[in-house]
């Protein structure tokens, strides 16, 4: 679904949404790894800790500093304010082909300044929340991960372990 959204519809933002522990991060990172060659200017990743127990979420200003550093902006050229940093990031990314993974986002405000505007860029956002605010302005394509039904889970086990083993253990 993610590949089709990018290839056929030209989507530039995909949100991977579902309950905790369902595999959103694993899916996003595995897919991003397969797609890396399509983004020759680089891949950026930010773990946003939106739902990390006992920790504070990473603010967009902190994450954008990491992106600017990864893109080669020296410390003495780093703008002082959060708005200026976000604008510099968007300016640098505008003419690049970048793949950005924003993992474990709490809400739309946490990711809004981290989404590059360039048509050659793709952003994958994982979250437990729908992030509906990204739909209108960023045109985000939602990909919902739901738990497998009992029948789907058994089919998966049979495909991975073999029908005989599953029949013995179930």
């Amino acid at each position: 679904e993610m590949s089709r959204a990018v290839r056929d519809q030209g989507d530039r933002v995909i949100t991977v949404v579902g309950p905790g522990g369902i595999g959103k991060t694993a899916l996003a990172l595995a897919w991003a790894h397969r797609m890396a060659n399509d983004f020759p200017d680089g891949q950026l990743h930010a773990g946003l800790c939106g739902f990390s127990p006992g920790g504070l979420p990473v603010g967009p200003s902190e994450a954008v500093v990491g992106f600017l550093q990864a893109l080669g902006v020296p410390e003495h050229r780093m703008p002082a304010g959060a708005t200026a940093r976000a604008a510099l990031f968007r300016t640098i990314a505008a003419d690049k082909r970048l793949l950005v993974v924003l993992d474990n986002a709490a809400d739309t405000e946490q990711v809004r300044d981290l989404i590059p505007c360039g048509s050659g860029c793709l952003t994958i956002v994982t979250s437990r929340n729908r992030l509906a605010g990204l739909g209108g302005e960023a045109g985000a394509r939602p990909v919902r991960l739901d738990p497998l039904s009992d029948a789907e889970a058994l089919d998966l086990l049979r495909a991975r372990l073999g029908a005989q083993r599953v029949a013995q253990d179930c």
Side-chain angles (χ1 to χ4, degrees):
E1 185 175 340
M2 292 167 67
S3 295
R4 187 173 42 255
V6 172
R7 182 186 62 243
D8 297 343
Q9 282 85 33
D11 290 339
R12 305 299 352 148
V13 179
I14 297 174
T15 59
V16 180
V17 182
I22 200 158
K24 298 177 297 292
T25 298
L27 172 65
L29 293 179
W31 187 82
H33 182 72
R34 284 196 317 268
M35 298 299 293
N37 288 338
D38 291 348
F39 299 92
D41 294 319
Q43 300 80 44
L44 301 171
H45 178 270
L48 300 176
C49 303
F51 295 93
S52 297
L56 294 174
V58 174
S61 181
E62 182 181 346
V64 82
V65 166
F67 286 174
L68 290 170
Q69 290 170 338
L71 292 168
V73 175
E75 190 68 34
H76 69 277
R77 302 250 335 197
M78 195 75 61
T83 302
R85 288 176 179 160
L88 178 59
F89 171 62
R90 284 191 295 276
T91 299
I92 291 171
D95 296 326
K96 295 194 179 302
R97 292 184 51 103
L98 295 171
L99 177 57
V100 178
V101 177
L102 304 173
D103 188 33
N104 197 8
D107 55 36
T108 301
E109 289 303 314
Q110 192 180 22
V111 298
R112 183 172 282 124
D113 287 342
L114 303 174
I115 298 174
C117 299
S119 63
C121 297
L122 173 65
T123 304
I124 309 298
V125 183
T126 70
S127 181
R128 293 181 188 180
N129 293 332
R130 282 188 42 238
L131 303 177
L134 294 181
E137 58 192 61
R141 164 78 55 132
V143 173
R144 173 98 186 140
L145 299 184
D146 292 311
L148 299 175
S149 69
D150 290 347
E152 291 168 327
L154 282 172
D155 287 344
L156 177 62
L157 286 173
R158 287 184 192 107
R160 300 290 290 168
L161 303 174
Q164 184 177 1
R165 180 162 177 208
V166 172
Q168 288 173 339
D169 292 343
C170 290

